[in-house]
Amino acid sequence: WIERLITMEETSRADRSLERRIKLSRVGRFKALSDFDWSWPRKIEREAIEDLMELTFIKDAMNVILCGPNGTGKTTLAKNIAYAAIIRGHNARFVSASDMLSELATADGNHALRRRIKFYVQPSLLVVDEIGYLSYTNRYADLLFEVISRRHHSKSTIVTTNRPFAEWKEIFP
């Protein structure tokens, strides 16, 4: 009976850990990849997305940019990847660019700002959604740079954007 009790405890801990990672991720509701319409948009590289779902990019601390027009499923794909990471034991966090940057910009004092930056640097996968939907001040650009540079080479980041890189100077003047 002890072996069965230990197994039950391990299962219970794994379930609580999964629930905690899902809650902290802020992924929210999303359409499952099995329901994704692969015929729209026409230029989507399904094989590349399926490769991302294998999550080797997280092990290799690689970054992903999903770029395309509005309504093409970038957020849905990013949420599916984040959820797959959570299911496989990784910590993930999903946040819109405007929410993250506003939260960082309004942090009271250096200590609070460092704590909030750590909040976004810590997970093994960070998804920053909707870069390019709004324009930001230099302060916001500096904060985004701070988060991305601290994650670079050690943790993976997914960015979704509707703007090509050539237009990013309009987002971050």
Side-chain angles (χ1 to χ4, degrees), residues 133-160:
Y133 288 85
L134 300 173
S135 293
Y136 300 104
T137 65
N138 287 342
R139 171 78 172 138
Y140 282 41
D142 292 344
L143 292 168
L144 179 64
F145 176 79
E146 184 70 24
V147 170
I148 298 298
S149 67
R150 287 189 185 195
R151 295 182 58 78
H152 189 62
H153 292 303
S154 63
K155 310 242 174 115
S156 295
T157 305
I158 296 176
V159 171
T160 70

PDB file of all heavy atoms in Angstrom, residues 133-160:
ATOM      1  N   TYR A 133       1.156  46.565 -33.002  1.00  0.00           N
ATOM      2  CA  TYR A 133      -0.209  47.076 -33.059  1.00  0.00           C
ATOM      3  C   TYR A 133      -0.287  48.499 -32.520  1.00  0.00           C
ATOM      4  O   TYR A 133      -1.186  49.251 -32.862  1.00  0.00           O
ATOM      5  CB  TYR A 133      -1.159  46.160 -32.287  1.00  0.00           C
ATOM      6  CG  TYR A 133      -1.388  44.857 -33.010  1.00  0.00           C
ATOM      7  CD1 TYR A 133      -0.520  43.791 -32.861  1.00  0.00           C
ATOM      8  CD2 TYR A 133      -2.455  44.710 -33.894  1.00  0.00           C
ATOM      9  CE1 TYR A 133      -0.716  42.611 -33.542  1.00  0.00           C
ATOM     10  CE2 TYR A 133      -2.654  43.533 -34.577  1.00  0.00           C
ATOM     11  CZ  TYR A 133      -1.784  42.481 -34.399  1.00  0.00           C
ATOM     12  OH  TYR A 133      -1.967  41.307 -35.084  1.00  0.00           O
ATOM     13  N   LEU A 134       0.671  48.870 -31.656  1.00  0.00           N
ATOM     14  CA  LEU A 134       0.728  50.215 -31.102  1.00  0.00           C
ATOM     15  C   LEU A 134       2.136  50.757 -31.279  1.00  0.00           C
ATOM     16  O   LEU A 134       3.094  50.001 -31.433  1.00  0.00           O
ATOM     17  CB  LEU A 134       0.400  50.188 -29.596  1.00  0.00           C
ATOM     18  CG  LEU A 134      -0.974  49.663 -29.195  1.00  0.00           C
ATOM     19  CD1 LEU A 134      -1.053  49.555 -27.674  1.00  0.00           C
ATOM     20  CD2 LEU A 134      -2.075  50.571 -29.717  1.00  0.00           C
ATOM     21  N   SER A 135       2.278  52.067 -31.210  1.00  0.00           N
ATOM     22  CA  SER A 135       3.599  52.692 -31.198  1.00  0.00           C
ATOM     23  C   SER A 135       3.995  52.929 -29.749  1.00  0.00           C
ATOM     24  O   SER A 135       3.144  53.148 -28.889  1.00  0.00           O
ATOM     25  CB  SER A 135       3.566  54.026 -31.937  1.00  0.00           C
ATOM     26  OG  SER A 135       3.328  53.804 -33.297  1.00  0.00           O
ATOM     27  N   TYR A 136       5.295  52.904 -29.490  1.00  0.00           N
ATOM     28  CA  TYR A 136       5.789  53.029 -28.128  1.00  0.00           C
ATOM     29  C   TYR A 136       6.842  54.126 -28.039  1.00  0.00           C
ATOM     30  O   TYR A 136       7.510  54.437 -29.016  1.00  0.00           O
ATOM     31  CB  TYR A 136       6.398  51.695 -27.663  1.00  0.00           C
ATOM     32  CG  TYR A 136       5.414  50.558 -27.675  1.00  0.00           C
ATOM     33  CD1 TYR A 136       5.439  49.596 -28.677  1.00  0.00           C
ATOM     34  CD2 TYR A 136       4.443  50.446 -26.688  1.00  0.00           C
ATOM     35  CE1 TYR A 136       4.536  48.552 -28.688  1.00  0.00           C
ATOM     36  CE2 TYR A 136       3.530  49.405 -26.686  1.00  0.00           C
ATOM     37  CZ  TYR A 136       3.577  48.460 -27.697  1.00  0.00           C
ATOM     38  OH  TYR A 136       2.682  47.437 -27.704  1.00  0.00           O
ATOM     39  N   THR A 137       7.024  54.647 -26.846  1.00  0.00           N
ATOM     40  CA  THR A 137       8.061  55.640 -26.605  1.00  0.00           C
ATOM     41  C   THR A 137       9.419  54.947 -26.472  1.00  0.00           C
ATOM     42  O   THR A 137       9.493  53.719 -26.392  1.00  0.00           O
ATOM     43  CB  THR A 137       7.780  56.411 -25.297  1.00  0.00           C
ATOM     44  OG1 THR A 137       7.868  55.485 -24.205  1.00  0.00           O
ATOM     45  CG2 THR A 137       6.409  57.073 -25.322  1.00  0.00           C
ATOM     46  N   ASN A 138      10.461  55.755 -26.405  1.00  0.00           N
ATOM     47  CA  ASN A 138      11.806  55.199 -26.216  1.00  0.00           C
ATOM     48  C   ASN A 138      11.911  54.421 -24.910  1.00  0.00           C
ATOM     49  O   ASN A 138      12.625  53.429 -24.832  1.00  0.00           O
ATOM     50  CB  ASN A 138      12.852  56.311 -26.251  1.00  0.00           C
ATOM     51  CG  ASN A 138      13.059  56.827 -27.657  1.00  0.00           C
ATOM     52  OD1 ASN A 138      12.696  56.184 -28.634  1.00  0.00           O
ATOM     53  ND2 ASN A 138      13.644  58.013 -27.757  1.00  0.00           N
ATOM     54  N   ARG A 139      11.221  54.871 -23.880  1.00  0.00           N
ATOM     55  CA  ARG A 139      11.228  54.169 -22.585  1.00  0.00           C
ATOM     56  C   ARG A 139      10.721  52.749 -22.761  1.00  0.00           C
ATOM     57  O   ARG A 139      11.301  51.799 -22.238  1.00  0.00           O
ATOM     58  CB  ARG A 139      10.364  54.933 -21.581  1.00  0.00           C
ATOM     59  CG  ARG A 139      10.117  54.211 -20.282  1.00  0.00           C
ATOM     60  CD  ARG A 139      11.303  54.288 -19.362  1.00  0.00           C
ATOM     61  NE  ARG A 139      10.945  53.734 -18.062  1.00  0.00           N
ATOM     62  CZ  ARG A 139      11.740  52.946 -17.374  1.00  0.00           C
ATOM     63  NH1 ARG A 139      12.921  52.641 -17.827  1.00  0.00           N
ATOM     64  NH2 ARG A 139      11.361  52.489 -16.211  1.00  0.00           N
ATOM     65  N   TYR A 140       9.633  52.573 -23.499  1.00  0.00           N
ATOM     66  CA  TYR A 140       9.077  51.238 -23.729  1.00  0.00           C
ATOM     67  C   TYR A 140      10.041  50.389 -24.553  1.00  0.00           C
ATOM     68  O   TYR A 140      10.206  49.203 -24.296  1.00  0.00           O
ATOM     69  CB  TYR A 140       7.734  51.348 -24.436  1.00  0.00           C
ATOM     70  CG  TYR A 140       6.579  51.737 -23.539  1.00  0.00           C
ATOM     71  CD1 TYR A 140       6.707  52.715 -22.552  1.00  0.00           C
ATOM     72  CD2 TYR A 140       5.351  51.142 -23.681  1.00  0.00           C
ATOM     73  CE1 TYR A 140       5.656  53.075 -21.750  1.00  0.00           C
ATOM     74  CE2 TYR A 140       4.275  51.498 -22.871  1.00  0.00           C
ATOM     75  CZ  TYR A 140       4.437  52.451 -21.913  1.00  0.00           C
ATOM     76  OH  TYR A 140       3.392  52.798 -21.109  1.00  0.00           O
ATOM     77  N   ALA A 141      10.676  50.996 -25.537  1.00  0.00           N
ATOM     78  CA  ALA A 141      11.654  50.267 -26.345  1.00  0.00           C
ATOM     79  C   ALA A 141      12.805  49.799 -25.476  1.00  0.00           C
ATOM     80  O   ALA A 141      13.289  48.658 -25.624  1.00  0.00           O
ATOM     81  CB  ALA A 141      12.160  51.150 -27.482  1.00  0.00           C
ATOM     82  N   ASP A 142      13.259  50.646 -24.561  1.00  0.00           N
ATOM     83  CA  ASP A 142      14.343  50.271 -23.653  1.00  0.00           C
ATOM     84  C   ASP A 142      13.931  49.100 -22.759  1.00  0.00           C
ATOM     85  O   ASP A 142      14.725  48.185 -22.507  1.00  0.00           O
ATOM     86  CB  ASP A 142      14.757  51.456 -22.784  1.00  0.00           C
ATOM     87  CG  ASP A 142      15.432  52.561 -23.580  1.00  0.00           C
ATOM     88  OD1 ASP A 142      15.861  52.308 -24.731  1.00  0.00           O
ATOM     89  OD2 ASP A 142      15.519  53.691 -23.048  1.00  0.00           O
ATOM     90  N   LEU A 143      12.698  49.131 -22.273  1.00  0.00           N
ATOM     91  CA  LEU A 143      12.220  48.051 -21.413  1.00  0.00           C
ATOM     92  C   LEU A 143      12.107  46.736 -22.178  1.00  0.00           C
ATOM     93  O   LEU A 143      12.483  45.675 -21.658  1.00  0.00           O
ATOM     94  CB  LEU A 143      10.875  48.430 -20.789  1.00  0.00           C
ATOM     95  CG  LEU A 143      10.939  49.568 -19.769  1.00  0.00           C
ATOM     96  CD1 LEU A 143       9.541  50.057 -19.424  1.00  0.00           C
ATOM     97  CD2 LEU A 143      11.701  49.133 -18.520  1.00  0.00           C
ATOM     98  N   LEU A 144      11.605  46.790 -23.404  1.00  0.00           N
ATOM     99  CA  LEU A 144      11.535  45.575 -24.217  1.00  0.00           C
ATOM    100  C   LEU A 144      12.934  45.035 -24.480  1.00  0.00           C
ATOM    101  O   LEU A 144      13.183  43.829 -24.353  1.00  0.00           O
ATOM    102  CB  LEU A 144      10.816  45.840 -25.539  1.00  0.00           C
ATOM    103  CG  LEU A 144      10.702  44.626 -26.470  1.00  0.00           C
ATOM    104  CD1 LEU A 144       9.855  43.524 -25.840  1.00  0.00           C
ATOM    105  CD2 LEU A 144      10.120  45.047 -27.806  1.00  0.00           C
ATOM    106  N   PHE A 145      13.867  45.931 -24.803  1.00  0.00           N
ATOM    107  CA  PHE A 145      15.251  45.515 -25.033  1.00  0.00           C
ATOM    108  C   PHE A 145      15.822  44.845 -23.791  1.00  0.00           C
ATOM    109  O   PHE A 145      16.509  43.827 -23.877  1.00  0.00           O
ATOM    110  CB  PHE A 145      16.111  46.710 -25.434  1.00  0.00           C
ATOM    111  CG  PHE A 145      17.563  46.357 -25.580  1.00  0.00           C
ATOM    112  CD1 PHE A 145      18.021  45.717 -26.714  1.00  0.00           C
ATOM    113  CD2 PHE A 145      18.463  46.642 -24.564  1.00  0.00           C
ATOM    114  CE1 PHE A 145      19.361  45.368 -26.848  1.00  0.00           C
ATOM    115  CE2 PHE A 145      19.796  46.301 -24.682  1.00  0.00           C
ATOM    116  CZ  PHE A 145      20.248  45.657 -25.823  1.00  0.00           C
ATOM    117  N   GLU A 146      15.537  45.397 -22.626  1.00  0.00           N
ATOM    118  CA  GLU A 146      16.046  44.843 -21.368  1.00  0.00           C
ATOM    119  C   GLU A 146      15.560  43.402 -21.161  1.00  0.00           C
ATOM    120  O   GLU A 146      16.344  42.511 -20.831  1.00  0.00           O
ATOM    121  CB  GLU A 146      15.619  45.722 -20.193  1.00  0.00           C
ATOM    122  CG  GLU A 146      16.172  45.302 -18.866  1.00  0.00           C
ATOM    123  CD  GLU A 146      17.656  45.521 -18.733  1.00  0.00           C
ATOM    124  OE1 GLU A 146      18.213  46.385 -19.433  1.00  0.00           O
ATOM    125  OE2 GLU A 146      18.284  44.810 -17.917  1.00  0.00           O
ATOM    126  N   VAL A 147      14.283  43.174 -21.359  1.00  0.00           N
ATOM    127  CA  VAL A 147      13.727  41.823 -21.180  1.00  0.00           C
ATOM    128  C   VAL A 147      14.323  40.865 -22.212  1.00  0.00           C
ATOM    129  O   VAL A 147      14.796  39.778 -21.860  1.00  0.00           O
ATOM    130  CB  VAL A 147      12.181  41.843 -21.274  1.00  0.00           C
ATOM    131  CG1 VAL A 147      11.615  40.433 -21.334  1.00  0.00           C
ATOM    132  CG2 VAL A 147      11.585  42.617 -20.102  1.00  0.00           C
ATOM    133  N   ILE A 148      14.321  41.267 -23.470  1.00  0.00           N
ATOM    134  CA  ILE A 148      14.813  40.384 -24.539  1.00  0.00           C
ATOM    135  C   ILE A 148      16.304  40.109 -24.366  1.00  0.00           C
ATOM    136  O   ILE A 148      16.749  38.961 -24.501  1.00  0.00           O
ATOM    137  CB  ILE A 148      14.526  40.988 -25.929  1.00  0.00           C
ATOM    138  CG1 ILE A 148      13.014  41.146 -26.155  1.00  0.00           C
ATOM    139  CG2 ILE A 148      15.154  40.156 -27.029  1.00  0.00           C
ATOM    140  CD1 ILE A 148      12.216  39.867 -26.149  1.00  0.00           C
ATOM    141  N   SER A 149      17.088  41.115 -24.042  1.00  0.00           N
ATOM    142  CA  SER A 149      18.537  40.908 -23.913  1.00  0.00           C
ATOM    143  C   SER A 149      18.872  40.005 -22.732  1.00  0.00           C
ATOM    144  O   SER A 149      19.815  39.223 -22.802  1.00  0.00           O
ATOM    145  CB  SER A 149      19.274  42.239 -23.810  1.00  0.00           C
ATOM    146  OG  SER A 149      18.954  42.895 -22.619  1.00  0.00           O
ATOM    147  N   ARG A 150      18.111  40.083 -21.652  1.00  0.00           N
ATOM    148  CA  ARG A 150      18.365  39.195 -20.510  1.00  0.00           C
ATOM    149  C   ARG A 150      17.984  37.741 -20.812  1.00  0.00           C
ATOM    150  O   ARG A 150      18.519  36.834 -20.197  1.00  0.00           O
ATOM    151  CB  ARG A 150      17.609  39.677 -19.282  1.00  0.00           C
ATOM    152  CG  ARG A 150      18.217  40.921 -18.688  1.00  0.00           C
ATOM    153  CD  ARG A 150      17.593  41.231 -17.376  1.00  0.00           C
ATOM    154  NE  ARG A 150      18.102  42.491 -16.864  1.00  0.00           N
ATOM    155  CZ  ARG A 150      17.955  42.869 -15.622  1.00  0.00           C
ATOM    156  NH1 ARG A 150      17.334  42.098 -14.769  1.00  0.00           N
ATOM    157  NH2 ARG A 150      18.432  44.029 -15.224  1.00  0.00           N
ATOM    158  N   ARG A 151      17.068  37.535 -21.726  1.00  0.00           N
ATOM    159  CA  ARG A 151      16.646  36.183 -22.091  1.00  0.00           C
ATOM    160  C   ARG A 151      17.528  35.603 -23.205  1.00  0.00           C
ATOM    161  O   ARG A 151      17.630  34.394 -23.346  1.00  0.00           O
ATOM    162  CB  ARG A 151      15.191  36.203 -22.564  1.00  0.00           C
ATOM    163  CG  ARG A 151      14.198  36.597 -21.485  1.00  0.00           C
ATOM    164  CD  ARG A 151      12.783  36.553 -22.014  1.00  0.00           C
ATOM    165  NE  ARG A 151      12.453  35.250 -22.515  1.00  0.00           N
ATOM    166  CZ  ARG A 151      12.129  34.197 -21.766  1.00  0.00           C
ATOM    167  NH1 ARG A 151      12.085  34.319 -20.453  1.00  0.00           N
ATOM    168  NH2 ARG A 151      11.846  33.034 -22.313  1.00  0.00           N
ATOM    169  N   HIS A 152      18.149  36.460 -23.971  1.00  0.00           N
ATOM    170  CA  HIS A 152      18.905  36.052 -25.155  1.00  0.00           C
ATOM    171  C   HIS A 152      19.984  35.033 -24.797  1.00  0.00           C
ATOM    172  O   HIS A 152      20.708  35.201 -23.829  1.00  0.00           O
ATOM    173  CB  HIS A 152      19.522  37.287 -25.816  1.00  0.00           C
ATOM    174  CG  HIS A 152      20.123  37.025 -27.141  1.00  0.00           C
ATOM    175  ND1 HIS A 152      19.385  36.587 -28.214  1.00  0.00           N
ATOM    176  CD2 HIS A 152      21.392  37.115 -27.572  1.00  0.00           C
ATOM    177  CE1 HIS A 152      20.185  36.437 -29.250  1.00  0.00           C
ATOM    178  NE2 HIS A 152      21.403  36.749 -28.887  1.00  0.00           N
ATOM    179  N   HIS A 153      20.078  33.983 -25.563  1.00  0.00           N
ATOM    180  CA  HIS A 153      21.046  32.893 -25.424  1.00  0.00           C
ATOM    181  C   HIS A 153      20.775  31.953 -24.251  1.00  0.00           C
ATOM    182  O   HIS A 153      21.494  30.974 -24.099  1.00  0.00           O
ATOM    183  CB  HIS A 153      22.487  33.408 -25.315  1.00  0.00           C
ATOM    184  CG  HIS A 153      22.995  34.028 -26.570  1.00  0.00           C
ATOM    185  ND1 HIS A 153      23.041  33.378 -27.771  1.00  0.00           N
ATOM    186  CD2 HIS A 153      23.487  35.270 -26.793  1.00  0.00           C
ATOM    187  CE1 HIS A 153      23.534  34.172 -28.685  1.00  0.00           C
ATOM    188  NE2 HIS A 153      23.807  35.335 -28.125  1.00  0.00           N
ATOM    189  N   SER A 154      19.784  32.241 -23.412  1.00  0.00           N
ATOM    190  CA  SER A 154      19.538  31.342 -22.293  1.00  0.00           C
ATOM    191  C   SER A 154      18.097  30.838 -22.230  1.00  0.00           C
ATOM    192  O   SER A 154      17.848  29.759 -21.705  1.00  0.00           O
ATOM    193  CB  SER A 154      19.901  32.012 -20.974  1.00  0.00           C
ATOM    194  OG  SER A 154      19.081  33.138 -20.753  1.00  0.00           O
ATOM    195  N   LYS A 155      17.166  31.612 -22.781  1.00  0.00           N
ATOM    196  CA  LYS A 155      15.749  31.239 -22.740  1.00  0.00           C
ATOM    197  C   LYS A 155      15.112  31.584 -24.078  1.00  0.00           C
ATOM    198  O   LYS A 155      15.590  32.443 -24.808  1.00  0.00           O
ATOM    199  CB  LYS A 155      15.040  32.004 -21.626  1.00  0.00           C
ATOM    200  CG  LYS A 155      15.748  31.937 -20.288  1.00  0.00           C
ATOM    201  CD  LYS A 155      14.938  31.284 -19.257  1.00  0.00           C
ATOM    202  CE  LYS A 155      15.723  31.094 -17.983  1.00  0.00           C
ATOM    203  NZ  LYS A 155      15.227  31.827 -16.872  1.00  0.00           N
ATOM    204  N   SER A 156      13.997  30.935 -24.377  1.00  0.00           N
ATOM    205  CA  SER A 156      13.315  31.150 -25.655  1.00  0.00           C
ATOM    206  C   SER A 156      12.211  32.185 -25.534  1.00  0.00           C
ATOM    207  O   SER A 156      11.525  32.269 -24.510  1.00  0.00           O
ATOM    208  CB  SER A 156      12.712  29.840 -26.156  1.00  0.00           C
ATOM    209  OG  SER A 156      13.736  28.916 -26.437  1.00  0.00           O
ATOM    210  N   THR A 157      12.048  32.944 -26.604  1.00  0.00           N
ATOM    211  CA  THR A 157      10.997  33.958 -26.688  1.00  0.00           C
ATOM    212  C   THR A 157      10.293  33.806 -28.021  1.00  0.00           C
ATOM    213  O   THR A 157      10.935  33.608 -29.042  1.00  0.00           O
ATOM    214  CB  THR A 157      11.593  35.381 -26.577  1.00  0.00           C
ATOM    215  OG1 THR A 157      12.355  35.474 -25.371  1.00  0.00           O
ATOM    216  CG2 THR A 157      10.506  36.438 -26.581  1.00  0.00           C
ATOM    217  N   ILE A 158       8.978  33.893 -27.988  1.00  0.00           N
ATOM    218  CA  ILE A 158       8.171  33.949 -29.210  1.00  0.00           C
ATOM    219  C   ILE A 158       7.575  35.345 -29.277  1.00  0.00           C
ATOM    220  O   ILE A 158       7.011  35.837 -28.296  1.00  0.00           O
ATOM    221  CB  ILE A 158       7.047  32.900 -29.220  1.00  0.00           C
ATOM    222  CG1 ILE A 158       7.614  31.485 -29.213  1.00  0.00           C
ATOM    223  CG2 ILE A 158       6.134  33.103 -30.435  1.00  0.00           C
ATOM    224  CD1 ILE A 158       6.554  30.393 -29.131  1.00  0.00           C
ATOM    225  N   VAL A 159       7.696  35.973 -30.426  1.00  0.00           N
ATOM    226  CA  VAL A 159       7.121  37.294 -30.655  1.00  0.00           C
ATOM    227  C   VAL A 159       6.141  37.163 -31.810  1.00  0.00           C
ATOM    228  O   VAL A 159       6.461  36.557 -32.834  1.00  0.00           O
ATOM    229  CB  VAL A 159       8.223  38.320 -31.012  1.00  0.00           C
ATOM    230  CG1 VAL A 159       7.625  39.632 -31.476  1.00  0.00           C
ATOM    231  CG2 VAL A 159       9.144  38.536 -29.824  1.00  0.00           C
ATOM    232  N   THR A 160       4.937  37.717 -31.642  1.00  0.00           N
ATOM    233  CA  THR A 160       4.007  37.803 -32.766  1.00  0.00           C
ATOM    234  C   THR A 160       3.914  39.261 -33.176  1.00  0.00           C
ATOM    235  O   THR A 160       3.887  40.157 -32.324  1.00  0.00           O
ATOM    236  CB  THR A 160       2.595  37.259 -32.432  1.00  0.00           C
ATOM    237  OG1 THR A 160       1.949  38.132 -31.517  1.00  0.00           O
ATOM    238  CG2 THR A 160       2.665  35.856 -31.862  1.00  0.00           C
TER     239      THR A 160
END
